[in-house]
Protein backbone atom coordinates (compact mmCIF):
# COMPACT_ATOMS: atom_id res chain seq x y z
CA UNK A 1 0.00 0.00 0.00
CA UNK A 2 1.08 3.54 -0.64
CA UNK A 3 0.83 6.53 1.66
CA UNK A 4 1.36 10.23 1.03
CA UNK A 5 2.03 12.71 3.84
CA UNK A 6 1.72 16.44 3.39
CA UNK A 7 2.61 18.00 6.73
CA UNK A 8 1.83 21.63 5.88
CA UNK A 9 -1.90 22.32 6.14
CA UNK A 10 -1.32 25.90 4.97
CA UNK A 11 1.47 28.01 3.56
CA UNK A 12 1.78 31.73 3.00
CA UNK A 13 4.09 33.38 0.49
CA UNK A 14 4.47 36.82 -0.99
CA UNK A 15 4.11 37.39 -4.68
CA UNK A 16 7.32 36.79 -6.68
CA UNK A 17 8.89 34.69 -3.93
CA UNK A 18 9.62 30.97 -4.23
CA UNK A 19 7.81 28.43 -2.08
CA UNK A 20 8.34 24.75 -1.33
CA UNK A 21 5.44 22.43 -0.58
CA UNK A 22 6.46 19.26 1.22
CA UNK A 23 5.49 15.72 0.30
CA UNK A 24 6.80 12.47 1.71
CA UNK A 25 5.68 9.08 0.52
CA UNK A 26 5.75 5.56 1.75
CA UNK A 27 5.78 2.69 -0.70
CA UNK A 28 7.34 -0.73 -0.93
CA UNK A 29 7.11 -0.79 -4.71
CA UNK A 30 10.46 -0.56 -6.49
CA UNK A 31 8.98 1.52 -9.30
CA UNK A 32 6.41 4.26 -8.90
CA UNK A 33 5.27 7.65 -10.12
CA UNK A 34 4.74 10.88 -8.20
CA UNK A 35 2.29 13.60 -9.23
CA UNK A 36 1.32 17.06 -8.09
CA UNK A 37 -2.11 18.55 -8.72
CA UNK A 38 -3.49 22.02 -8.13
CA UNK A 39 -7.06 22.65 -7.04
CA UNK A 40 -8.10 26.31 -7.20
CA UNK A 41 -11.19 27.60 -5.42
CA UNK A 42 -13.25 26.78 -8.51
CA UNK A 43 -12.74 23.11 -7.66
CA UNK A 44 -11.17 21.52 -10.71
CA UNK A 45 -8.08 19.32 -10.40
CA UNK A 46 -5.21 20.48 -12.58
CA UNK A 47 -2.17 18.30 -13.26
CA UNK A 48 1.10 20.14 -12.65
CA UNK A 49 4.09 17.82 -12.78
CA UNK A 50 5.18 14.17 -12.80
CA UNK A 51 8.30 12.42 -11.53
CA UNK A 52 9.15 8.77 -12.16
CA UNK A 53 11.07 6.91 -9.50
CA UNK A 54 13.81 5.97 -11.96
CA UNK A 55 14.12 9.40 -13.54
CA UNK A 56 17.66 10.65 -13.14
CA UNK A 57 16.77 14.32 -13.18
CA UNK A 58 14.24 16.31 -11.22
CA UNK A 59 11.14 17.13 -13.23
CA UNK A 60 10.46 20.71 -14.27
CA UNK A 61 7.44 22.33 -15.89
CA UNK A 62 7.72 26.07 -16.29
CA UNK A 63 7.69 27.63 -12.82
CA UNK A 64 7.14 24.24 -11.18
CA UNK A 65 9.92 21.87 -10.27
CA UNK A 66 9.97 18.74 -8.21
CA UNK A 67 12.75 18.28 -5.66
CA UNK A 68 12.95 14.49 -5.67
CA UNK A 69 15.04 12.85 -2.95
CA UNK A 70 14.53 9.13 -3.36
CA UNK A 71 16.52 8.03 -0.31
CA UNK A 72 14.47 10.33 1.90
CA UNK A 73 11.23 9.40 0.09
CA UNK A 74 10.38 13.03 -0.50
CA UNK A 75 8.97 14.76 -3.57
CA UNK A 76 8.64 18.43 -2.73
CA UNK A 77 7.04 20.87 -5.16
CA UNK A 78 8.91 24.12 -5.70
CA UNK A 79 7.04 27.05 -7.20
CA UNK A 80 9.32 29.85 -8.32
CA UNK A 81 8.21 33.47 -8.61
CA UNK A 82 4.79 32.93 -7.01
CA UNK A 83 1.79 34.62 -8.58
CA UNK A 84 -1.58 35.53 -7.08
CA UNK A 85 -3.15 32.87 -9.29
CA UNK A 86 -1.06 30.22 -7.53
CA UNK A 87 -3.32 30.50 -4.48
CA UNK A 88 -4.94 27.09 -4.34
CA UNK A 89 -4.91 23.68 -2.70
CA UNK A 90 -2.02 21.46 -3.80
CA UNK A 91 -2.09 17.69 -3.68
CA UNK A 92 0.74 15.20 -3.94
CA UNK A 93 -0.13 11.71 -5.21
CA UNK A 94 1.59 8.46 -6.06
CA UNK A 95 0.94 5.36 -8.10
CA UNK A 96 2.92 2.13 -8.26
CA UNK A 97 4.27 1.08 -11.61
CA UNK A 98 1.93 -1.17 -13.51
CA UNK A 99 -1.11 0.09 -11.65
CA UNK A 100 -3.43 2.87 -12.57
CA UNK A 101 -4.79 4.04 -9.22
CA UNK A 102 -3.58 7.14 -7.40
CA UNK A 103 -3.16 7.64 -3.67
CA UNK A 104 -3.47 11.29 -2.62
CA UNK A 105 -2.20 13.25 0.34
CA UNK A 106 -4.50 15.54 2.30
CA UNK A 107 -3.20 18.62 0.57
CA UNK A 108 -1.58 21.97 1.37
CA UNK A 109 -3.42 25.27 1.02
CA UNK A 110 -1.15 27.93 -0.49
CA UNK A 111 -2.02 31.60 -0.17
CA UNK A 112 -0.06 34.13 -2.19
CA UNK A 113 -0.26 37.72 -0.98
CA UNK A 114 0.52 40.88 -2.97
CA UNK B 1 -12.88 18.19 -27.12
CA UNK B 2 -14.81 18.36 -23.83
CA UNK B 3 -12.43 16.12 -21.84
CA UNK B 4 -14.18 14.59 -18.82
CA UNK B 5 -17.76 15.69 -18.19
CA UNK B 6 -19.91 14.99 -15.13
CA UNK B 7 -23.59 15.41 -14.51
CA UNK B 8 -25.15 16.78 -12.44
CA UNK B 9 -22.98 19.57 -11.01
CA UNK B 10 -25.02 19.83 -7.83
CA UNK B 11 -27.52 17.50 -6.17
CA UNK B 12 -29.44 17.41 -2.92
CA UNK B 13 -30.90 14.10 -1.79
CA UNK B 14 -32.86 12.93 1.20
CA UNK B 15 -31.59 9.99 3.22
CA UNK B 16 -32.58 6.75 1.52
CA UNK B 17 -33.00 8.17 -1.95
CA UNK B 18 -31.02 6.77 -4.85
CA UNK B 19 -29.25 8.48 -7.69
CA UNK B 20 -26.67 7.93 -10.40
CA UNK B 21 -23.78 10.22 -11.12
CA UNK B 22 -22.82 10.23 -14.78
CA UNK B 23 -19.33 10.56 -16.20
CA UNK B 24 -18.16 10.58 -19.81
CA UNK B 25 -14.82 11.18 -21.50
CA UNK B 26 -14.09 11.82 -25.15
CA UNK B 27 -10.33 11.20 -25.07
CA UNK B 28 -10.52 7.47 -25.86
CA UNK B 29 -8.99 6.66 -22.49
CA UNK B 30 -8.98 3.11 -21.22
CA UNK B 31 -9.11 3.72 -17.47
CA UNK B 32 -11.73 5.62 -15.51
CA UNK B 33 -12.09 6.43 -11.80
CA UNK B 34 -14.48 7.74 -9.18
CA UNK B 35 -13.17 9.67 -6.17
CA UNK B 36 -14.77 11.47 -3.30
CA UNK B 37 -13.29 14.54 -1.65
CA UNK B 38 -14.13 15.45 1.92
CA UNK B 39 -12.74 18.43 3.85
CA UNK B 40 -9.29 17.67 5.18
CA UNK B 41 -9.23 14.21 3.62
CA UNK B 42 -7.87 14.70 0.15
CA UNK B 43 -9.27 12.51 -2.63
CA UNK B 44 -10.14 8.90 -1.90
CA UNK B 45 -10.75 6.30 -4.57
CA UNK B 46 -14.22 4.74 -4.57
CA UNK B 47 -14.11 2.49 -7.65
CA UNK B 48 -12.17 2.30 -10.84
CA UNK B 49 -12.30 0.62 -14.22
CA UNK B 50 -8.90 -0.21 -15.66
CA UNK B 51 -10.44 -1.05 -19.01
CA UNK B 52 -13.84 -1.47 -20.61
CA UNK B 53 -15.64 -4.41 -19.05
CA UNK B 54 -13.76 -4.39 -15.74
CA UNK B 55 -14.39 -2.63 -12.44
CA UNK B 56 -12.59 -2.83 -9.10
CA UNK B 57 -13.08 -1.48 -5.62
CA UNK B 58 -10.97 1.32 -4.31
CA UNK B 59 -10.38 2.54 -0.79
CA UNK B 60 -13.99 3.48 0.10
CA UNK B 61 -16.45 1.42 -1.99
CA UNK B 62 -19.16 0.76 0.61
CA UNK B 63 -22.54 2.20 -0.32
CA UNK B 64 -21.67 2.62 -3.99
CA UNK B 65 -21.94 0.68 -7.23
CA UNK B 66 -20.47 1.43 -10.62
CA UNK B 67 -21.10 0.56 -14.24
CA UNK B 68 -18.64 0.88 -17.09
CA UNK B 69 -21.31 1.29 -19.75
CA UNK B 70 -18.84 1.51 -22.62
CA UNK B 71 -15.38 2.92 -23.16
CA UNK B 72 -16.63 6.49 -22.78
CA UNK B 73 -18.98 6.26 -19.83
CA UNK B 74 -18.55 5.27 -16.18
CA UNK B 75 -21.44 5.83 -13.79
CA UNK B 76 -21.56 5.83 -9.98
CA UNK B 77 -24.76 4.81 -8.21
CA UNK B 78 -25.87 5.46 -4.66
CA UNK B 79 -28.65 2.98 -3.93
CA UNK B 80 -29.68 4.39 -0.56
CA UNK B 81 -28.01 7.70 0.17
CA UNK B 82 -26.74 8.47 3.67
CA UNK B 83 -25.58 11.78 5.18
CA UNK B 84 -22.04 10.33 5.33
CA UNK B 85 -22.05 10.35 1.52
CA UNK B 86 -22.26 14.12 1.44
CA UNK B 87 -19.14 14.98 -0.51
CA UNK B 88 -17.71 16.26 -3.76
CA UNK B 89 -17.40 13.48 -6.31
CA UNK B 90 -14.81 13.54 -9.05
CA UNK B 91 -14.59 11.34 -12.09
CA UNK B 92 -11.24 10.94 -13.84
CA UNK B 93 -9.83 9.12 -16.84
CA UNK B 94 -6.38 8.00 -17.91
CA UNK B 95 -5.02 6.84 -21.26
CA UNK B 96 -3.68 3.55 -19.96
CA UNK B 97 -2.55 1.81 -16.82
CA UNK B 98 0.97 3.14 -17.13
CA UNK B 99 2.21 4.92 -14.02
CA UNK B 100 3.60 7.69 -16.22
CA UNK B 101 0.15 8.76 -17.39
CA UNK B 102 -1.62 11.48 -15.49
CA UNK B 103 -5.32 11.31 -14.73
CA UNK B 104 -7.64 13.91 -16.21
CA UNK B 105 -10.41 15.06 -13.89
CA UNK B 106 -13.95 16.17 -14.45
CA UNK B 107 -15.34 19.32 -12.80
CA UNK B 108 -16.92 17.43 -9.90
CA UNK B 109 -20.42 16.89 -8.50
CA UNK B 110 -21.30 18.43 -5.17
CA UNK B 111 -23.72 16.09 -3.39
CA UNK B 112 -25.56 16.87 -0.18
CA UNK B 113 -27.56 14.19 1.60
CA UNK B 114 -30.01 15.49 4.18
Amino acid sequence: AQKITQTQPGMFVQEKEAVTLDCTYDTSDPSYGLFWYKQPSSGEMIFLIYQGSYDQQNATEGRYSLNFQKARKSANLVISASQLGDSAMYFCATTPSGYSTLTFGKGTMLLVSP
Amino acid sequence: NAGVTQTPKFQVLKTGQSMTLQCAQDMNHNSMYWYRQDPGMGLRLIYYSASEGTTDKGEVPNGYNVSRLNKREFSLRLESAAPSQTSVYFCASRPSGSSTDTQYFGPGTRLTVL
Side-chain angles (χ1 to χ4, degrees):
Chain A
Q2 300 77 44
K3 184 179 179 182
I4 294 285
T5 302
Q6 295 180 254
T7 58
Q8 306 154 314
M11 289 284 287
F12 295 89
V13 67
Q14 280 200 311
E15 206 175 0
K16 300 179 185 177
E17 290 185 349
V19 63
T20 298
L21 306 184
D22 293 342
C23 171
T24 58
Y25 59 91
D26 187 11
T27 180
S28 56
D29 298 287
S31 179
Y32 47 89
L34 294 154
F35 299 81
W36 277 92
Y37 290 86
K38 172 184 178 181
Q39 186 178 42
S41 58
S42 52
E44 71 268 31
M45 295 289 288
I46 302 167
F47 165 70
L48 294 178
I49 196 167
Y50 165 81
Q51 177 83 42
S53 59
Y54 286 109
D55 292 343
Q56 295 296 314
Q57 293 188 328
N58 287 342
T60 60
E61 290 285 349
R63 294 185 299 110
Y64 305 107
S65 60
L66 203 152
N67 184 359
F68 181 48
Q69 299 185 47
K70 194 170 182 178
R72 300 180 65 181
K73 294 192 172 182
S74 74
N76 298 339
L77 177 71
V78 180
I79 305 175
S80 63
S82 298
Q83 301 173 355
L84 295 178
D86 293 335
S87 293
M89 197 75 171
Y90 289 80
F91 291 97
C92 181
T94 186
T95 185
S97 179
Y99 291 83
S100 69
T101 61
L102 281 172
T103 299
F104 284 84
K106 294 184 179 181
T108 295
M109 174 65 75
L110 175 67
L111 292 177
V112 181
S113 60
Chain B
N1 207 350
V4 180
T5 57
Q6 293 182 235
T7 54
K9 286 187 168 53
F10 301 94
Q11 184 72 48
V12 179
L13 293 177
K14 294 181 180 178
T15 297
Q17 287 185 318
S18 62
M19 80 160 295
T20 299
L21 306 184
Q22 306 287 354
C23 174
Q25 51 91 9
D26 62 1
M27 297 176 282
N28 201 35
H29 288 173
N30 289 319
S31 303
M32 297 185 73
Y33 311 81
W34 277 106
Y35 294 90
R36 61 178 288 173
Q37 184 179 23
D38 302 300
M41 294 295 292
L43 276 76
R44 292 183 293 169
L45 183 66
I46 304 171
Y47 270 94
Y48 67 102
S49 171
S51 60
E52 187 178 357
T54 68
T55 60
D56 286 287
K57 295 178 180 179
E59 181 185 354
V60 288
N62 291 346
Y64 305 95
N65 286 301
V66 290
S67 295
R68 183 75 182 266
L69 305 170
N70 47 54
K71 192 170 185 178
R72 289 187 64 249
E73 298 171 288
F74 188 39
S75 63
L76 179 72
R77 183 160 178 84
L78 288 70
E79 290 291 351
S80 179
S84 61
Q85 294 178 305
T86 293
S87 190
V88 180
Y89 291 85
F90 286 97
C91 177
S93 69
R94 193 177 204 178
S96 70
S98 169
S99 61
T100 62
D101 288 335
T102 186
Q103 293 186 13
Y104 296 83
F105 286 82
T109 294
R110 188 173 293 273
L111 175 67
T112 301
V113 183
L114 303 175

